[in-house]
Amino acid sequence: MGRCAYAIGSHPLFALARGIYRMAEHPWLVGGLAFIWGFFGSYLEPNLQRVSDPDLIRFLRQEQLYRLVHGNRLPSRKD
């Protein structure tokens, strides 16, 4: 799951928070550590394909930072 988060362009702070949160779920501690290891270890894999749309990555990261600051609430929709 961490490698997938890296591939879609997740923000590193969001990935770290997600990994810490997963430590409280079964399998205790190991799931979160594996997520964090997978995400940050992916920086060392040059052949791992990533999303190539910079606008999509920017949108995703803005939403993730918003969710970190606002207690995992999604931003309000703009219709």
Side-chain angles (χ1 to χ4, degrees):
M1 288 175 47
R3 288 174 49 130
C4 292
Y6 173 81
I8 64 170
S10 289
H11 196 284
L13 288 177
F14 188 81
L16 183 62
R18 187 172 170 194
I20 291 169
Y21 179 80
R22 291 250 322 125
M23 288 181 192
E25 298 175 348
H26 189 73
W28 316 114
L29 196 64
V30 175
L33 290 174
F35 182 90
I36 293 169
W37 180 268
F39 182 83
F40 290 103
S42 295
Y43 279 100
L44 304 175
E45 295 184 37
N47 296 329
L48 184 67
Q49 286 187 320
R50 295 190 72 189
V51 171
S52 60
D53 185 357
D55 292 332
L56 177 64
I57 293 172
R58 188 177 310 110
F59 173 80
L60 175 69
R61 287 182 173 195
Q62 285 175 347
E63 181 177 286
Q64 289 173 339
L65 290 176
Y66 180 91
R67 290 173 65 185
L68 279 176
V69 172
H70 294 94
N72 205 26
R73 281 185 301 145
L74 291 173
S76 60
R77 287 183 55 189
K78 297 174 185 170
D79 294 322

